Amino acid sequence: MPRQTRGGRGRRSRGERGSVLVEFSLVFVIFMLVLYALITFGVLLASKNSLTHAAAEGARAAVAVVDDTSTPGVDEREQRALDQVTKSLSWLGNRFQPGDATAKVAACGGGAPVGTQCITVTVTYPYSTRPIIPPAPGLGLVIPDKLTSTAVVELT
């Protein structure tokens, strides 16, 4: 029987001396993985929201521009949309590349009057090749390869 101390608790036997350290290290690793997963999810959600906002801003910016017909092959509305997307995503720094966004003016579909044109702005961010937060081992299974957002606005 272990010797009693003043507090009424018995002393730990020699076989249990490092158990607190082992238990702490196991709990700490699990806690850090959960914390990392929460931070990564928050950054992914904020990034997706930012891409959606940038695509919408780009599409809206194109509405105010009139296409110059004297420059064939260049649609100023598409260029203005891409410029606005790049400006909106400037917080990503060099992670965002101009080729990640596309803008296309074409005939509207789905019940729009004939001859109506729409601009479609698509922003695709390849998260697997340019992550904002470095990946943790084992969590790559739940992180998407790319984030995509599309906005369509009717041009009048």
Side-chain angles (χ1 to χ4, degrees):
M1 185 159 168
R3 191 172 124 204
Q4 295 291 327
T5 59
R6 284 189 202 180
R9 295 184 190 171
R11 283 187 171 175
R12 292 183 177 253
S13 67
R14 288 202 182 281
E16 297 180 17
R17 284 190 102 169
S19 65
V20 172
L21 182 61
V22 171
E23 290 170 2
F24 173 76
S25 63
L26 290 173
V27 169
F28 181 74
V29 168
I30 292 170
F31 173 74
M32 289 307 292
L33 282 174
V34 169
L35 181 65
Y36 178 83
L38 287 172
I39 291 170
T40 302
F41 177 74
V43 168
L44 282 170
L45 189 61
S47 299
K48 174 66 174 171
N49 188 32
S50 184
L51 291 179
T52 302
H53 176 73
E57 284 295 311
R60 280 194 289 268
V63 172
V65 178
V66 177
D67 186 30
D68 185 7
T69 56
S70 66
T71 56
V74 176
D75 193 326
E76 283 76 15
R77 298 170 294 186
E78 293 174 359
Q79 190 57 48
R80 177 72 173 270
L82 294 175
D83 291 343
Q84 183 62 41
V85 168
T86 302
K87 182 179 173 186
S88 294
L89 294 177
S90 63
W91 68 271
L92 284 171
N94 62 356
R95 287 188 186 104
F96 177 75
Q97 304 295 320
D100 294 341
T102 60
K104 185 68 179 158
V105 174
C108 295
V114 177
T116 305
Q117 288 188 319
C118 289
I119 185 163
T120 303
V121 179
T122 303
V123 182
T124 303
Y125 183 78
Y127 196 84
S128 62
T129 57
R130 289 182 254 150
I132 297 170
I133 294 179
L139 288 181
L141 300 173
V142 294
I143 296 176
D145 291 336
K146 62 182 177 177
L147 303 173
T148 303
S149 285
T150 302
V152 179
V153 173
E154 182 179 320
L155 301 171
T156 53

